[in-house]
């Protein structure tokens, strides 16, 4: 039951900047931190951004996250071919009393 | 380096119980710093959180699955398990186990996933 809405697709040419939005509500993004996951084709998701804007040590600084009100966004700058993947936002939802994922965005490098 | 590995039958008949185990290496599931979670992904679809367990045995389940779900842990084997009863074709999915940071609530290590198909 995806309650976080993302655009189904996004694209860009190598070197461009791509931004993915994640829209939620006061019970999830509005009151809890947002995480982002990258899922390369045929593989398990991998943590990309945590606590709205923090990067794990293995994630390049081309990836950045932000949160404002009940929305969040992920930016990929200097887009590379290996960034072709599905991206999911996620947050705890106080009303549903559970962890919710976004609908997912497929990023294509043209 | 923490590693998680799912195991269990790849085919389950409708109305039966789906059972999976996640074996953790490189870290202890008895650590109070983490929850241990299950997530699933139907073929071609998005991610769905199933639930998690803490080292104390306390559990938290997705309300939509709660009536059919049991998550347990075996600290002696450093494993945690999932049982989902009365399965239907809608439960066909890749099932992932993952480590969930207790303080900041992110899933930082994931298993590779295992496909479970519900079919007669």
């Amino acid at each position: 039951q995806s309650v976080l809405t993302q655009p189904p697709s996004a694209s860009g040419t190598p070197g461009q900047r791509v931004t993915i939005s994640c829209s939620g509500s006061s019970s999830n993004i509005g009151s809890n931190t947002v995480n982002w996951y990258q899922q390369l084709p045929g593989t398990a998701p991998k943590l990309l951004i945590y606590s709205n804007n923090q990067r794990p040590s293995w994630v390049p600084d081309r990836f950045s996250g932000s949160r404002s009100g009940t929305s969040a966004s992920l930016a990929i700058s200097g887009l590379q071919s290996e960034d072709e993947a599905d991206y999911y936002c996620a947050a705890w939802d106080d009303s549903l009393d559970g962890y919710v994922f976004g609908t997912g965005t497929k990023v294509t490098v043209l | 380096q923490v590693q998680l590995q799912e195991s269990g039958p790849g085919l389950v008949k409708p109305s039966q119980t789906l059972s999976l185990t996640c074996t953790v290496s490189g870290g202890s599931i008895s650590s109070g710093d983490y929850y241990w979670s299950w997530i699933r992904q139907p073929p071609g679809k998005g991610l769905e959180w199933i639930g998690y367990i803490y080292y104390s045995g306390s559990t938290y389940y997705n309300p939509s699955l709660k009536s059919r779900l049991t998550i347990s842990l075996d600290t002696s084997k450093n494993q945690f398990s999932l049982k989902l009863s009365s399965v239907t074709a809608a439960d066909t999915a890749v099932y992932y186990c993952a480590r969930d940071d207790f303080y900041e609530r992110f899933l930082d290590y994931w298993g590779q996933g295992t496909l479970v198909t519900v079919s007669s």
Side-chain angles (χ1 to χ4, degrees):
Chain A
Q1 82 279 11
S2 296
V3 298
L4 303 182
T5 303
Q6 300 177 231
S9 63
S11 62
T13 57
Q16 277 191 327
R17 176 183 170 91
V18 169
T19 302
I20 301 169
S21 61
C22 175
S23 178
S25 67
S26 58
S27 64
N28 42 66
I29 295 176
S31 52
N32 296 292
T33 58
V34 178
N35 305 315
W36 290 88
Y37 300 90
Q38 177 193 56
Q39 187 174 31
L40 296 169
T43 69
K46 182 178 74 171
L47 179 66
L48 196 64
I49 297 287
Y50 67 95
S51 298
N52 303 324
N53 54 18
Q54 301 299 301
R55 276 180 291 106
S57 58
W58 58 81
V59 175
D61 59 6
R62 303 186 292 103
F63 294 90
S64 62
S66 63
R67 180 187 73 166
S68 178
T70 59
S71 294
S73 63
L74 173 73
I76 310 172
S77 58
L79 192 66
Q80 299 182 5
S81 58
E82 57 260 38
D83 299 332
E84 278 209 343
D86 293 323
Y87 293 83
Y88 294 91
C89 57
W92 186 266
D93 190 293
D94 295 330
S95 295
L96 293 177
D97 216 14
Y99 198 65
V100 290
F101 287 95
T103 48
T105 299
K106 183 176 183 62
V107 169
T108 302
V109 181
L110 302 171
Chain B
Q1 177 79 340
V2 174
Q3 292 186 314
L4 295 90
Q5 178 69 58
E6 306 88 352
S7 59
L11 181 64
V12 180
K13 288 183 166 52
S15 79
Q16 293 191 342
T17 296
L18 181 161
S19 297
L20 295 173
T21 296
C22 181
T23 301
V24 180
S25 58
S28 172
I29 65 168
S30 297
S31 168
D33 292 333
Y34 305 104
Y35 294 107
W36 301 94
S37 293
W38 288 97
I39 302 97
R40 69 181 182 179
Q41 184 173 34
K45 296 189 178 180
L47 300 166
E48 179 183 29
W49 172 73
I50 296 172
Y52 64 75
I53 190 166
Y54 194 45
Y55 82 101
S56 61
S58 59
T59 53
Y60 225 98
Y61 298 155
N62 184 323
S64 69
L65 299 171
K66 190 173 183 176
S67 63
R68 302 191 289 130
L69 184 62
T70 302
I71 298 177
S72 59
L73 59 86
D74 185 338
T75 55
S76 67
K77 295 181 180 179
N78 222 34
Q79 295 175 334
F80 62 106
S81 298
L82 164 96
K83 289 188 187 298
L84 185 66
S85 64
S86 305
V87 296
T88 69
D91 295 309
T92 294
V94 175
Y95 285 76
Y96 296 101
C97 57
R99 190 179 81 169
D100 184 353
D101 186 272
F102 177 84
Y103 302 102
E104 304 212 50
R105 304 313 311 272
F106 53 79
L107 301 162
D108 57 355
Y109 288 96
W110 295 61
Q112 64 184 30
T114 187
L115 174 63
V116 179
T117 301
V118 178
S119 175
S120 54

